[in-house]
Amino acid sequence: MSELTIGLILPDVLGTYGDNGNALVLRGRARKRGIDTEVVTIKLGEPVPTNLDLYCVGGGEDTAQILAAKHLTEHRGLIEAANLGRPIFAICAGLQVLGESFRADGRIVDGVGLIDATTSSLGKRTIGELISTPAGIPELTDTLTGFENHMGATILGPDAAPLGRVIRGVGNCDAHGATADGSAEADGQVGAEGVVQGSIIATYMHGPALARNPQLADLLLARAMGVELSSLEPLDIPEVEQLRKERLR
Ligand code: GLN
């Protein structure tokens, strides 16, 4: 077994907009530092092992994410991994699926219940660049950049904090979505992006997010290895800097 194992969870149903690339970015950044790393792919119908160091869950279409929610609830591996404090990184439909409930294919579906959040619908689909200032994790200081394409309006409960505050784009929800479920706590929900809860980091950023946000990638690697982010040797990859500059322009 490799020194570091990264689970790519259900890429056959949750892997839109290149989200599978997050696992590849993590593997690439670890290998550049001489850490023997492998990606373990878990497909629909296969049990999720609890002993991986880090888990990546991507985005997907409505029907696909309903299948994912059912699978991840029935096979308890990801839930157990979260209970063990293993880092989990989830994108868009992945974020919604890990919540308490979400709306898909015109109905409300039970989520896995790892994130204190419910997802209803935005006033209209949001598609475009999503930029935010990190908020929920002190070590994260670099502006977050990604691409969003979703209909979900996610309201966070008291156990979940936003990953960032939106500078451009929508993120978790718009004003319509914030009040759709009659939530009296709409304040602060509009303009929130993503979720931080225990060992889980989730976001609406596709991109893949970790190609655009190397500091976030390294934070996940550091957590997976049980070390401080500041202890990771910096990587000088000019293409990544160039990509960030272009997307943030
Ligand atoms: N199906 C979900 C929505 O439209 C998630 C989409 C996605 O993962 N990009 O909100």
Side-chain angles (χ1 to χ4, degrees), residues 16-17 59-62 65 92-93 96 125 149-152 206:
T16 47
Y17 311 120
E61 305 309 329
D62 282 17
Q65 80 183 81
C92 198
Q96 298 175 5
R125 175 167 289 272
N149 180 352
H150 64 100
M151 207 35 216
H206 297 283

Side-chain angles (χ1 to χ4, degrees), residues 23-73:
L24 303 182
V25 169
L26 289 164
R27 185 180 67 186
R29 296 185 73 83
R31 283 185 177 169
K32 274 186 188 291
R33 295 181 169 105
I35 301 159
D36 176 27
T37 306
E38 72 175 306
V39 173
V40 178
T41 299
I42 309 300
K43 294 203 172 149
L44 201 67
E46 296 173 355
V48 180
T50 55
N51 60 346
L52 305 179
D53 297 305
L54 175 56
Y55 295 78
C56 292
V57 188
E61 305 309 329
D62 282 17
T63 310
Q65 80 183 81
I66 295 172
L67 294 173
K70 187 165 180 286
H71 177 88
L72 296 175
T73 308

Side-chain angles (χ1 to χ4, degrees), residues 6 29 31 41 97 104 129 137 146 156 158 173 191 196 214:
I6 298 166
R29 296 185 73 83
R31 283 185 177 169
T41 299
V97 162
E129 289 296 308
I137 301 174
L156 306 185
C173 73
V196 179

Side-chain angles (χ1 to χ4, degrees), residues 14 34 36 67-68 106 121 123 150 186 193 197 221 223 238:
L14 296 178
D36 176 27
L67 294 173
S121 297
H150 64 100
E193 199 304 291
Q197 184 170 343
L221 280 181
R223 286 185 172 183

